[in-house]
Each structure stands twice: as C-alpha cells, then as structure tokens.
Amino acid sequence: MNGKAGQAVKMARQCFLGGGTRSLPQRRRLLRQLEEVVIRRRDDLLAALAEDLGKPGLEAYLSEYHFLLQEIRLVRRKLGRWLKRRRVVSPPYFWPCRSWIDREPYGVVLVIAPWNYPVQLSLSPVVAALAAGNTVVLKPSELAPAAERLIAEMVVEAFPGGEVAVVSGGVEDAQALLDEKFDFIFFTGSTRVGREVARRAAEQLTPVLLELGGKCPCVLDRGMDWRVVARRVLAGKFFNAGQTCFAPDFVLVPSVERESFVEACCQVMEEVPWADEMARMISPKHAERCLDLAGDKALVFGKDEPTKGRIAPRLIPEAAWDDEVMMEEVFGPILPVVSYEDGDDLHERLGSLENPLALYCFSKNPAFVDRVSRRLASGSVCVNDTMKQSAQLKLPLGGVGASGFGRYRGRFGVESLSYPRAIMRRYLTRKDFGEMLPPYCNIYRWVRKFLR
Ligand code: NAD
C-alpha cells in the first residue's frame, strides 16, 4: 500500500465496512451535507472556475453550480423509490418461497475526473456513488488547481466521517491509485487515458465506467433556416470555449448549402460578442495545440492571446476530411465545416467515423434523422439543437464504442454504481418434499411428464 493513495483507500474501506453509507437515511444525510456545502461555498466555486478557466459567471452557475445542486436534490428526493426492493414471482415448484432483487453498493469507488467542468464532473459521480451506498476516493484534475483545492476543502467539510477522500495530484498520483484495489472505477477523461485505466482495472477484474471523448458530428439537412441553425450550433460549440466532451466537433453540410450556412454563421458571429465572453483554454499549451489544429484556413473572429490561454473563435469554412483538425477531437472554439454530396456520400462518411458521445442532426424530415442516427451509433442524439440532451437529468449520459461505456446522471448513476443482487428465501417446513435426492428415477418420470 503506497503513500497518500493507500491511506485514502484504507480510510474509505474502513468507512464502508463500518456501514456509514448503507442505510437510506444515512445516504440522504450525506447528500444533504454535500448540498449544504455546495450552497455555502457557491461564490468560492464560481471564483475557482473563473480562476482556472475564466468561465463566464452564467456558464459556471448553470453548468456546474446549479446543475450539481439539481442532481443532488433529484437523487435525494427519488432515492427511496429507485432503491426499492423488487419482488419477483417464484416458480411454484420452489414454493413456499420468496424471491427479490436488492440494489447493493460495490464498496469503495475510485472517481478520476477531468478539468473541463472540474467541479461538476468530480462531484456528480460522487453523488451517484454515495446514493448507491459506496464510499469514494476522488481524484480531481490537477490542471484546474483552484477547483482541485476547493473540492478538497468542500469534501472535508461535507464528509467529516471520511465517506469521501480526495487525493490531489497528477498522473503519478492517479497511477498510484490504480495500483490499489477498488470495487469500482469511474473514469472521465480522454480515450487514450481511458484505455490505460481499463487495462489496469482488468488486471484486478474491477468493473469500470468510462466517460470518454471523441468527435461529435453535427449533420445538417438541406433547406434549413440557416440563421437558427447557425445560432444553435455555435452556441453549443463556444460554450466553455468548446471544451465540452459532447460539444459539436464539426459540421457536415450538403455541399450546395455550404455557402448559406457559412454566411449565416458569419452573420451570427458579428452579432454575438463571443470573443468578450468566452472561457479560456485550460493552459497556454492547450491554446497552442488548438491554434496549430486550426491552421491558416480559418476565419478568425477576434484577437488571440495564447499565453493567457485565450484564443478567438474560429470557423473553417472549407475543411477537408484529411485536414489535421479532422483527425482528433478539437476540444476548443474552432468549428470545421466539411461537406457531403448526397445521401450515399453522407452514409459512407458517417460509417467511417468512430462512435461519438453525441450525434447532432438538423432536419425537418424524420426519415433523414432516422437514417443518420441508424448509420452511426452514439451515446445520445439531439435533433435540431446541440448539447441540450446532456442538460437533462432524466436522460442518461455516456458513450458507446470509442466514447466509452456505462451511464450516469440521476437514476442512471445510482444504477451504474450499484449492482442487482438476486435473493431467494425458502422456508423451513417440517416435511421437506420436492428435494432432488437420488434415486432419481421416480422424480425423472414425473419431471418428463409434467415439465414439458
Ligand atoms: P485526461 O484523460 O488527460 O485526464 C483525466 C484524468 O485522468 C485527470 O484527473 C488526470 O490526472 C488523470 N490521468 C491522466 N493521465 C493518467 C494516467 N496515465 N493514468 C491514470 N490517470 C491519468 O483528460 P482531460 O484532458 O482532463 O479531459 C479532456 C478529455 O476528457 C476530452 O477528451 C474530453 O472529451 C473528455 N471528457 C469526457 C467527458 C464525458 O462525460 N464523456 C466529460 C469531460 C471530458
């Protein structure tokens, strides 16, 4: 057992075995404690997000503070119903007997979080894990240091009983945690690191939930109201400066409509002061990567300050499929526009893509939407808008294929972080009939006659 990782796991394990997270009232109490701390530390939380990512207040308030509160409240309210024992009918040949399914916690859950929504993506899995009855070791991202510090403080305030422990630090600390034995690993981050986490988890046969990234396509049909489409696509793209795992990564537009769409985008860009109110890149290094990806074909709407992590929003009106920007997840305020000729071309293109977390489709024709969503499996589909499906706590969030596996948010998180345990209870009767004891011949005759 090594260093702070080992200590944290030991504490979380002791706490789990002590039963501090098992009963429904205990779980509700923990969620209430977290809710109170989130409310009390609201201004610190918004300040940390401004420090790490320069998030505009409105974005931070809605996507991190309020979203998290909403989830805690929903889970607290509905938990009793979700965890209710489910009775099932038992076969008559086992009577007298009862059968049911209980949802059981796994035990100690490791949560590894990314930096783009550093508070929400750290604490939302914690909510699910606690609601499901587990204890947690949480490793926030080292790349958002103000949020990392704040989360550590909030956890100490909310969970004085040690139900959640925070391990701060970078890759080495994350790897030290993966050396430990957990009962479940919840990882949010890049596909590259997700693969490594899954490999390490497999060594100990630990179940994992992987929330990964990828390129989410936004497919446009012909004959749309381009102004409305442009507003909705760009609003999704530039939220948090494009650093959202399910942001529209690129747009696929019919070649005959490319000009109309690009024109509408340029008009919207002129009207909306994005350059003044947009989050920063998490670091100058990330800003440089984005500028390299954008290349020199982009239309630029504002001034760059890469040393401060600020880059102006960009549109690449004629991106080619083999451009660098189409080879990896953009994860920044750059929107490449690629085109397709006809239905067959679109079908072929979609078939060549990795499965994304989200698929966006703008069309008035349900058959078009149906064709597009059947061709490319994705974690979610949003029609005629972007990102809204993931702000809906009653829908599950998660990927498929290269974008990960497993689901969370509200009820889905509680179900993912617990397992259904099958329980059968027979009664001790004085006369024990129906047992299968040799000699079998009479029973066998009976079975063949009646169980057809
Ligand atoms: P990342 O994979 O670099 O890091 C995520 C976490 O893993 C961090 O806490 C980091 O310290 C840790 N880590 C890094 N290297 C590790 C290693 N070798 N072993 C173990 N842990 C390691 O991801 P990031 O840059 O923080 O986040 C951006 C990525 O996350 C994007 O690809 C984005 O699409 C994805 N993402 C996905 C979701 C989702 O819900 N599916 C949400 C947010 C971000």
Side-chain angles (χ1 to χ4, degrees):
M1 192 170 282
N2 48 24
K4 56 182 175 181
Q7 287 303 318
V9 182
K10 194 171 156 198
M11 185 178 95
R13 172 102 31 223
Q14 272 168 359
C15 190
F16 180 72
L17 295 176
T21 53
R22 294 306 291 263
S23 74
L24 187 56
Q26 281 167 324
R27 299 182 200 188
R28 285 213 178 101
R29 177 178 50 79
L30 293 171
L31 294 174
R32 195 166 38 248
Q33 285 167 204
L34 180 60
E35 181 182 345
E36 282 164 11
V37 171
V38 171
I39 293 171
R40 197 164 60 237
R41 301 298 297 265
R42 184 191 68 185
D43 292 346
D44 299 330
L45 193 156
L46 298 174
L49 297 170
E51 188 179 329
D52 286 333
L53 282 141
K55 287 200 190 207
L58 178 73
E59 290 189 12
Y61 194 95
L62 288 178
S63 66
E64 305 234 29
Y65 171 74
H66 192 251
F67 191 76
L68 181 62
L69 269 189
Q70 291 281 90
E71 183 164 26
I72 298 174
R73 288 169 181 160
L74 172 76
V75 173
R76 201 154 55 76
R77 214 174 49 241
K78 295 282 176 81
L79 190 58
R81 200 174 311 164
W82 297 341
L83 292 176
K84 234 184 187 155
R85 170 168 292 180
R86 218 182 96 210
R87 293 189 192 285
V88 292
V89 178
S90 307
Y93 38 82
F94 292 149
W95 286 356
C97 159
R98 282 184 177 210
S99 308
W100 67 88
I101 301 159
D102 278 345
R103 292 219 73 91
E104 288 286 325
Y106 280 99
V108 182
V109 174
L110 169 63
V111 174
I112 301 182
W115 50 261
N116 56 335
Y117 292 85
V119 177
Q120 192 240 108
L121 293 178
S122 296
L123 295 180
S124 175
V126 170
V127 169
L130 290 175
N134 305 281
T135 57
V136 184
V137 175
L138 165 64
K139 200 212 84 65
S141 173
E142 71 282 13
L143 295 185
E148 185 190 32
R149 271 193 309 276
L150 177 73
I151 290 167
E153 289 170 19
M154 285 168 67
V155 161
V156 170
E157 285 171 36
F159 308 111
E163 294 84 359
V164 181
V166 171
V167 172
S168 305
V171 177
E172 272 178 25
D173 298 278
Q175 286 178 337
L177 280 167
L178 292 173
D179 289 337
E180 301 292 332
K181 171 77 185 131
F182 286 93
D183 303 303
F184 194 97
I185 299 178
F186 188 120
F187 173 81
T188 309
S190 59
T191 304
R192 179 185 65 79
V193 178
R195 269 205 187 93
E196 190 178 333
V197 170
R199 205 169 29 240
R200 298 289 301 275
E203 285 164 16
Q204 312 216 43
L205 285 182
T206 307
V208 284
L209 191 158
L210 297 180
E211 289 283 342
L212 310 178
K215 289 179 87 63
C216 300
C218 180
V219 182
L220 313 184
D221 196 0
R222 290 178 184 218
M224 304 297 292
D225 178 340
W226 294 116
R227 191 180 151 72
V228 176
V229 174
R231 280 169 63 91
R232 293 188 180 185
V233 172
L234 297 176
K237 181 73 191 186
F238 298 138
F239 196 87
N240 201 27
Q243 302 168 110
T244 307
C245 49
F246 45 81
D249 187 276
F250 63 96
V251 168
L252 255 158
V253 61
S255 52
V256 289
E257 305 268 26
R258 186 204 290 257
E259 225 174 280
S260 315
F261 173 67
V262 170
E263 237 170 65
C265 285
C266 291
Q267 214 176 16
V268 172
M269 293 301 299
E270 263 156 42
E271 291 164 12
V272 181
W274 261 302
D276 305 337
E277 287 201 75
M278 197 164 72
R280 281 195 303 270
M281 301 277 91
I282 187 69
S283 73
K285 201 175 105 201
H286 286 74
E288 288 296 346
R289 183 194 73 91
C290 273
L291 290 178
D292 286 348
L293 269 191
D296 49 16
K297 291 200 289 186
L299 303 174
V300 185
F301 300 90
K303 269 201 359 225
D304 298 321
E305 286 179 277
T307 50
K308 293 185 183 162
R310 290 211 173 274
I311 63 174
R314 282 164 160 74
L315 183 75
I316 308 179
E318 289 198 45
W321 283 97
D322 53 3
D323 281 351
E324 221 184 314
V325 74
M326 292 301 293
M327 299 293 159
E328 59 183 270
E329 183 180 11
V330 174
F331 224 57
I334 300 161
L335 183 68
V337 180
V338 287
S339 61
Y340 63 91
E341 294 306 322
D342 51 27
D344 289 344
D345 187 21
L346 175 62
H347 200 71
E348 201 173 309
R349 290 291 181 197
L350 290 176
S352 69
L353 301 175
E354 296 266 33
N355 296 125
L357 205 51
L359 172 61
Y360 299 107
C361 184
F362 284 75
S363 174
K364 295 175 201 152
N365 177 2
F368 180 86
V369 175
D370 209 39
R371 259 200 318 277
V372 167
S373 48
R374 275 179 197 212
R375 183 61 179 138
L376 182 63
S378 61
S380 64
V381 176
C382 181
V383 181
N384 293 334
D385 209 333
T386 60
M387 310 241 289
K388 307 291 188 294
Q389 82 284 13
S390 302
Q392 197 342 355
L393 280 167
K394 295 194 175 136
L395 289 176
L397 174 66
V400 61
S403 52
F405 47 80
R407 296 287 178 273
Y408 78 124
R409 294 289 188 235
R411 178 178 197 146
F412 302 96
V414 177
E415 288 182 352
S416 291
L417 287 153
S418 59
Y419 68 93
R421 191 184 210 181
I423 300 169
M424 179 186 267
R425 176 178 182 153
R426 297 202 67 214
Y427 294 87
L428 292 167
T429 46
R430 218 185 285 159
K431 204 160 185 299
D432 192 26
F433 54 88
E435 262 331 298
M436 279 204 292
L437 305 171
Y440 282 147
C441 58
N442 281 344
I443 309 174
Y444 188 36
R445 213 174 306 124
W446 187 89
V447 163
R448 287 176 63 113
K449 187 162 177 196
F450 293 105
L451 300 188
R452 289 171 188 252

